[in-house]
Amino acid sequence: MVRILIINVPFHGHVNPTIAITKELVDRGYKVTYLISEEFREELVLTGARIILYDYDEKKAMSLKGMKLTMSKIYETALRIGKNYDLIIYEFMFFMGKNLGDTLKKPTIRLISMFAFNKNTFNPKTSDKSSLQLKLIQNKLARKIFTQIIFGKGKVKNNDILAEVLENVPELNIVFTSRKFQTHSEEFQHTRYKFIGPSIIKRTEKNNIPLNKLKEKVIYISLGTLFNKSLNFYKICLKAFSDVDMTILMSIGKNINIKDLGTIPDNFLVYQVVPQLEVLKRTNVFITHGGMNSVNEAIYYGVPVITIPQSADQPAVARRLEELGLGKIINKKNVSVETLKNSLNDVLYNGLYKENMKMMSEDMINCGGYIAATTEIEKYIGLNFSISTKYNTYYT
């Protein structure tokens, strides 16, 4: 049996799309091990995969020192155990995955939970709205320094993170969106890049929300798990929507105490964490930071969005949504009661947003999701191991 090692970074937006694929690989008879942090153990154990953990301190991880320590722990653990596996599957944000495979002489597959990346995808020169991180990518000196600090020497191609992303590309890249939504999609080879759309499976999230008591119209607000520390933003939302005849479901994350919000209007339901898939099924408009995983899940359920991009790839994702008539953007510096109200009224009552989102949802679903992804992985395994002397023993 082919032994597969999956490596991922400890962030929900990068782990969630891989859960269904992991389970499907196990169900098809592959021996799968998943390398991840403790936070995701419970969810991933249910896939049937073996879980190996690395240490991760969320409070320290946002600093450069913390990022370096996290990446180092993932890499060193993967390097130590990787020799015991036949195939390495890694998520895009573990940038060292291909280099690790080359070092261990193992074939690799990359999972991409954002846009597929090339020199045109996130070109800051095309817009002054791009995030600082993406602008720094274009600065060779800044990029080299960042690469050295976070990854050290010899772990990415030419000790340059951009060279690793653009030049050290695996033979198979599975992208969790559709070619229609992907920017510059014509520049990604059909043989090497497989666009499979959202990878959706029922999750075991705890649910104490009175879903049967929601009003006819539901507005869902969430800034994800990494960019949800703005108490002021949530207070503005309370003011903006306190008088609307809708249920406003707001997820504020674990970094804010609900008591700090003050008086909560009767039409609001506020939680630190919500079961996002169950909520999106009942949502009319989603106000989001624009992370690709959250956006994919919104598209899957046909929910128009208002994006308030915070960082990283989110400005690019938000622009793509607006270009395709799937939602509107509010600059995070311009969030106010007025901008929130005006944007909600436009997206909620202009039928084009809903119609466009319905068509995009159909396009995404038709890509095949985790079933298509797992089938592509099986094809890759067949091509890479069919002539191996070990092949017959793998499949007995």
Side-chain angles (χ1 to χ4, degrees), residues 32-43:
V32 181
T33 296
Y34 204 117
L35 181 58
I36 194 61
S37 66
E38 173 64 40
E39 181 180 3
F40 299 94
R41 180 211 291 263
E42 184 177 350
E43 186 78 29

Side-chain angles (χ1 to χ4, degrees), residues 340-358:
L340 283 171
K341 278 189 170 183
N342 290 342
S343 296
L344 176 61
N345 286 334
D346 189 7
V347 174
L348 184 61
Y349 297 112
N350 184 337
L352 284 177
Y353 289 107
K354 183 66 177 178
E355 185 61 30
N356 291 339
M357 189 58 89
K358 179 182 178 181

Side-chain angles (χ1 to χ4, degrees), residues 43-56:
E43 186 78 29
L44 287 165
V45 161
L46 297 177
T47 68
R50 178 192 180 198
I51 310 302
I52 294 180
L53 302 174
Y54 54 78
D55 291 333
Y56 171 66

